[in-house]
């Protein structure tokens, strides 16, 4: 679609803002939420909705969880909510230490969102590559179907014409490559490529797990060219797949990993985790954030991380994920959907019809879902969803098909 066509179709479909003071970038349904408890949200009419969106993978512990409430309260009790990064704080230092101890990484940069975590990853990759190889090594490669955020750099690596076209020109020295198992070697150009960025499971692109052998081939291609491999685990990291990091399923370790959505359990936070080799190339002043890693959010994030990393908690996510797989596969076998893909508690059901219709019917039935592309209904309940709520949600989904 050309830019002109796109703008005209957009103009024809701009939703009624009906006096809303919000910029109309979101299509929001009618309910106005005033509260939450566990896996449910409650609207101003007193209706309960079972939340299988988890705020797009953010509310990993559901709504109103005591761990999060206590962490916020403890933080408020210290009187330490913000200091800026002019100074060190204990919560940020402790959280960075925890993340380093529980991952491949040697150092962490904190920000406030997934897009920001990716922007930092892109800057760090360029800094590392140009320091090591000179000014030609600036290219960042993303993969077909990937999503990395809406800021200009992250958008340049997001494979959606509708998101990109109205905002051209985007960042130079970026490229979207085919995720073709036979052509992995061609993804990395040793003369130009600084890094390849990939989601181990593409979330927005339709919940598409990348096969472990593809990730391994990509790791090899990056190693041969000495380019960095960046895993965007903003949506699938921190327990969503039933392992702490999604890449653990493949045994492939990246050089850089970005986190955000569930990190602070509902408060905004992003993190960019890097190896010592990458960290060494970064100088004071190269990057920064006023709010990033503030003591309130960092304290909450540490509580969330510790809770989610408990082996019994992760095992429970895997058990529930197996139950979801079983029920969705039965739906596919019955011919009521085309495909079911996912891992842990992130699933995509390819319904072969507009996903928005299913999402709308589910809302009427009291189940909150979102789509992942035009035909895929996405299921992402809180990681601690109760077994009976999980069954109820799957029943409501079936009724909504
Ligand atoms: C949501 C998402 C982002 C962007 O996160 P924001 O917090 O919305 O900026 C980036 N990458 C992936 C994989 C995501 O799912």
């Amino acid at each position: 679609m050309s830019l002109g066509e796109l703008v005209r179709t957009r103009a024809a479909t701009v939703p009624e803002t009906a006096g809303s003071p919000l910029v109309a970038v979101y299509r929001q349904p009618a309910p106005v939420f005033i509260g939450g408890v566990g896996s449910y949200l409650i609207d101003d009419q007193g209706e309960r909705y079972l939340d299988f969106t988890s705020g797009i993978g953010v509310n990993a512990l559901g709504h109103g969880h005591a761990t999060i409430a206590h962490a916020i309260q403890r933080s408020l009790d210290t009187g330490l909510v913000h200091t800026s990064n002019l100074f060190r704080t204990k919560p940020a230092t402790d959280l960075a230490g925890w993340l380093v101890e529980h991952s491949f990484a040697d150092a962490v940069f904190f920000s406030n969102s997934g897009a920001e975590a990716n922007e930092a990853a892109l800057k760090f990759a360029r800094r590392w590559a140009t320091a090591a190889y000179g000014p030609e090594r600036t290219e960042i490669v993303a993969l077909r179907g990937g999503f990395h955020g809406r800021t200009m750099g992250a958008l340049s690596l997001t494979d959606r014409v509708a998101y990109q076209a109205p905002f051209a020109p985007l960042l130079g020295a970026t490229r979207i490559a085919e995720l073709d198992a036979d052509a992995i070697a061609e993804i990395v150009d040793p003369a130009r490529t600084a890094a390849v960025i990939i989601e181990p499971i593409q979330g927005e692109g339709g919940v598409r797990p990348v096969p472990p052998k593809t990730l391994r081939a990509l790791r090899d291609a990056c190693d041969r060219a000495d380019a960095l491999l960046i895993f965007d685990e903003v949506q699938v990291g921190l327990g969503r797949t039933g392992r702490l990091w999604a890449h653990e399923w493949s045994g492939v370790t990246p050089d850089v990993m970005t986190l955000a959505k569930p990190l602070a359990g509902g408060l905004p936070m992003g993190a960019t985790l890097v190896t010592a080799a990458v960290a060494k190339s970064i100088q004071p002043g190269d990057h920064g954030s006023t709010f990033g890693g503030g003591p309130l959010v960092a304290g909450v994030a540490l509580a969330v991380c510790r809770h989610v990393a408990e082996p019994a908690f992760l095992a429970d996510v895997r058990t529930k994920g197996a139950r979801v797989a079983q029920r969705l596969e039965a739906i596919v076998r019955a011919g009521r959907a085309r495909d079911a893909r996912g891992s842990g508690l992130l699933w995509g059901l390819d319904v072969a019809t507009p996903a928005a219709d299913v999402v709308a019917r589910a809302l009427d039935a009291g189940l909150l879902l979102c789509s992942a592309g035009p035909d895929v209904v996405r299921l992402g309940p809180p990681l601690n969803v109760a077994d009976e709520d999980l069954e109820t949600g799957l029943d409501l989904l079936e009724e909504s098909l």
Side-chain angles (χ1 to χ4, degrees):
M1 193 185 292
S2 77
L3 178 54
E5 283 168 319
L6 190 86
V7 171
R8 280 192 296 279
T9 14
R10 281 288 176 85
T13 57
V14 166
E16 259 320 314
T17 50
S20 166
L22 294 173
V23 172
V25 290
Y26 304 114
R27 279 187 206 88
Q28 297 175 322
V32 176
F33 292 113
I34 59 164
V37 55
S39 298
Y40 288 87
L41 284 173
I42 296 137
D43 75 5
D44 61 356
Q45 309 298 307
E47 294 289 338
R48 287 193 334 162
Y49 294 82
L50 186 50
D51 182 8
F52 272 25
T53 70
S54 305
I56 320 186
V58 169
N59 306 97
L61 303 183
H63 302 283
H65 195 279
T67 294
I68 291 169
H70 290 155
I72 293 175
Q73 190 57 53
R74 266 202 310 280
S75 202
L76 293 178
D77 290 345
T78 64
L80 196 68
V81 168
H82 176 81
T83 58
S84 87
N85 285 297
L86 293 170
F87 308 106
R88 298 186 199 194
T89 70
K90 183 164 165 40
T93 312
D94 289 352
L95 176 63
W98 191 95
L99 289 168
V100 164
E101 197 182 312
H102 290 83
S103 73
F104 67 93
D106 301 299
V108 184
F109 174 81
F110 291 124
S111 55
N112 310 289
S113 68
E116 274 181 79
N118 285 333
E119 294 290 338
L122 306 185
K123 285 182 70 176
F124 294 168
R126 277 199 173 169
R127 191 75 164 110
W128 171 84
T130 55
Y133 292 100
E136 301 304 312
R137 286 289 286 264
T138 55
E139 182 188 60
I140 316 277
V141 184
L143 281 305
R144 181 69 68 212
F147 179 92
H148 301 290
R150 308 294 204 122
T151 53
M152 286 301 212
L155 180 61
S156 308
L157 298 162
T158 287
D159 181 32
R160 285 263 193 120
V161 172
Y163 292 173
Q164 286 190 333
F167 306 103
L170 295 171
L171 185 66
T174 54
R175 174 159 60 89
I176 307 277
E178 298 302 326
L179 192 49
D180 171 356
D182 301 326
I184 295 284
E186 276 135 59
I187 289 177
V188 189
D189 176 346
R192 280 206 301 274
T193 308
V196 178
I197 183 167
I198 185 169
E199 302 156 86
I201 300 175
Q202 293 188 330
E204 302 302 307
V207 191
R208 292 174 201 281
V210 179
K213 74 173 193 330
T214 306
L215 291 179
R216 276 196 291 276
L218 199 52
R219 176 75 271 181
D220 291 344
C222 287
D223 286 346
R224 276 197 301 278
D226 199 20
L228 299 180
L229 181 60
I230 305 172
F231 281 166
D232 178 343
E233 294 216 14
V234 166
Q235 185 158 167
V236 297
L238 211 70
R240 180 54 59 185
T241 68
R243 299 235 181 257
L244 190 55
W245 314 122
H247 66 258
E248 288 175 44
W249 290 103
S250 67
V252 176
T253 306
D255 303 291
V256 178
M257 173 169 72
T258 56
L259 303 174
K261 287 184 166 111
L263 184 54
L267 301 187
M269 182 171 225
T272 307
L273 281 64
V274 299
T275 58
V278 177
K280 270 217 305 262
S281 67
I282 312 299
Q283 312 293 322
D286 275 350
H287 196 44
S289 167
T290 300
F291 288 110
L296 171 74
V297 288
V300 175
L302 185 56
V304 172
C305 286
R306 285 186 172 137
H307 193 105
V308 168
E310 279 298 322
F313 185 93
L314 292 170
D316 191 46
V317 173
R318 295 195 291 273
T319 306
K320 285 174 183 143
R323 177 64 183 150
V324 178
Q326 205 178 38
R327 295 232 12 210
L328 295 186
E329 278 153 17
I331 290 172
V332 173
R333 271 198 309 278
R336 305 191 64 202
R338 195 156 46 187
D339 192 16
R341 300 182 291 265
S343 176
L345 284 173
L346 177 64
W347 284 85
L349 188 66
D350 182 337
V351 290
T353 54
D357 295 347
V358 178
V359 171
R361 283 195 295 271
L363 178 77
D364 288 340
L367 174 68
L368 305 179
L369 296 171
C370 61
S371 59
D375 314 325
V376 177
V377 173
R378 176 171 21 174
L379 286 80
L383 301 183
N384 60 351
V385 61
D387 289 333
E388 61 270 27
D389 293 338
L390 191 60
E391 298 299 333
T392 304
L394 292 163
D395 292 344
L396 292 172
L397 168 71
E398 274 199 61
E399 285 166 27
S400 309
L401 289 174

